[in-house]
Amino acid sequence: MATGNRTEISEFIPMSFSSLPTEIQSLLFLTFLTIYLVTLMGKSLIILVTLADPMLHSPMYFFLRHLSFLEMGFNLVIVAKMLGTLLAQDTTISFLGCATQTYFFFFFGVAECFVLATMAYDLIMNQRTRAKLAAASWFPGFPVATVQTTWLFSFPFCGTNKVNHFFCDSPPVLKLVCVDTALFEIYTITGTILVVMIPCLLILCSYTLIAAAILKIPLAKGKHKPKSNNSPESKKLLSLSYTVVTPMLNPIIYSLRNNEVKNAFSRMVCKTLALRNCIP
């Protein structure tokens, strides 16, 4: 329903894969489905193994379980809908569905940043402290996601409902708004700085202090000024990397190359299958 130059939008149309031939979309579906299943299997194994083995009840593995659960949720919010779109060839998503996807994208993303920051200090935690820090890591996701999503989807939308992305991310949805969004953009930039930079600084501080204490080397200061590429296609590729590929690789990075986790997994398999000669 149109009113003047404004349009009441009841659904959105993500446009990322709609222009591709059906054969390519089918190949993408199989590729993303394989990655998604591998990711779920890897995360589930991490959670099961670290829960089942008493030797992996340290703070590091406690937070690794939280990180795995968050990444499973993050992956479910983005990839599950994308797979459905590729399979059914239906690219539409309801207004509420788009808002819900945006909300949980913010929530899981913010919580993951703070869990990663908390993991950098696992060596100085006891059991009570780690539970409180885990709760504190999850909490910022609620206000950030609530404020940003509610504010974004309270704007009036004009004309097209086509989102130039493969999910309802804030920047492409914001381009469909037909009023001044300067204040919202200032809030978004400020929130990004606080949510991303503070955990990064905490992690860097922790690792720098550890390195300085062990190696006894002077701290070096350096400047790094990354070059930004603002093209929509590059943003889509970047989004694919951190929403699809990175969650699949994290179990390998954090766990499967860790001897403690591999030994615990072997013990769990041996006990489950009642095999002899298990790793003690």
Side-chain angles (χ1 to χ4, degrees):
M1 180 185 298
T3 306
N5 64 340
R6 296 186 179 185
T7 303
E8 184 178 335
I9 292 179
S10 61
E11 63 182 18
F12 292 94
I13 305 176
M15 297 299 295
S16 183
F17 305 115
S18 59
S19 61
L20 297 176
T22 303
E23 295 78 9
I24 300 298
Q25 293 191 44
S26 299
L27 180 61
L28 287 175
F29 172 79
L30 292 174
T31 301
F32 292 147
L33 177 62
T34 301
I35 294 175
Y36 183 57
L37 293 176
V38 170
T39 300
L40 288 182
M41 183 177 66
K43 303 297 182 187
S44 300
L45 283 175
I46 289 174
I47 294 173
L48 289 174
V49 170
T50 56
L51 278 174
D53 198 297
M55 296 182 66
L56 300 182
H57 288 180
S58 65
M60 180 180 74
Y61 296 109
F62 172 80
F63 284 102
L64 189 58
R65 286 196 296 273
H66 280 263
L67 181 64
S68 297
F69 185 81
L70 284 169
E71 289 189 334
M72 287 173 67
F74 190 85
N75 222 227
L76 177 64
V77 168
I78 306 301
V79 182
K81 174 59 180 176
M82 183 172 65
L83 289 173
T85 298
L86 289 169
L87 180 64
Q89 302 294 313
D90 180 12
T91 61
T92 61
I93 181 171
S94 68
F95 186 93
L96 180 60
C98 188
T100 302
Q101 190 179 57
T102 302
Y103 178 90
F104 283 105
F105 172 75
F106 287 138
F107 170 73
F108 286 120
V110 171
E112 185 175 336
C113 286
F114 281 93
V115 167
L116 285 170
T118 306
M119 289 176 69
Y121 296 87
D122 62 344
L123 295 177
I124 58 174
M125 296 180 194
N126 55 37
Q127 188 169 355
R128 180 179 297 181
T129 302
R130 73 184 187 185
K132 292 180 179 179
L133 287 174
S137 299
W138 281 71
F139 176 76
F142 290 105
V144 171
T146 300
V147 172
Q148 191 152 337
T149 304
T150 303
W151 194 352
L152 174 61
F153 286 90
S154 66
F155 284 126
F157 294 90
C158 302
T160 182
N161 61 347
K162 295 179 179 179
V163 180
N164 189 19
H165 210 350
F166 61 88
F167 72 99
C168 290
D169 197 4
S170 178
V173 172
L174 190 64
K175 290 182 178 179
L176 307 181
V177 172
C178 57
V179 295
D180 183 22
T181 60
L183 186 59
F184 176 81
E185 292 178 52
I186 293 173
Y187 163 79
T188 302
I189 293 172
T190 304
T192 301
I193 292 173
L194 292 175
V195 168
V196 176
M197 293 304 298
I198 290 178
C200 286
L201 289 174
L202 289 172
I203 293 171
L204 288 174
C205 180
S206 171
Y207 290 167
T208 301
L209 291 174
I210 291 172
I214 295 175
L215 302 177
K216 295 182 179 179
I217 56 175
L219 300 181
K221 295 182 179 180
K223 295 182 179 180
H224 179 61
K225 192 173 183 180
K227 185 177 180 180
S228 176
N229 189 337
N230 294 319
S231 70
E233 297 306 318
S234 66
K235 290 180 179 179
K236 292 177 189 176
L237 290 174
L238 181 61
S239 296
L240 274 174
S241 70
Y242 68 73
T243 57
V244 179
V245 180
T246 300
M248 180 188 68
L249 296 178
N250 279 345
I252 299 174
I253 297 171
Y254 285 107
S255 300
L256 298 184
R257 295 185 61 186
N258 185 307
N259 286 329
E260 290 181 345
V261 175
K262 289 191 289 187
N263 291 341
F265 177 71
S266 298
R267 287 193 293 268
M268 186 179 74
V269 171
C270 288
K271 291 178 181 178
T272 302
L273 301 179
L275 299 177
R276 296 180 180 180
N277 301 321
C278 290
I279 298 175

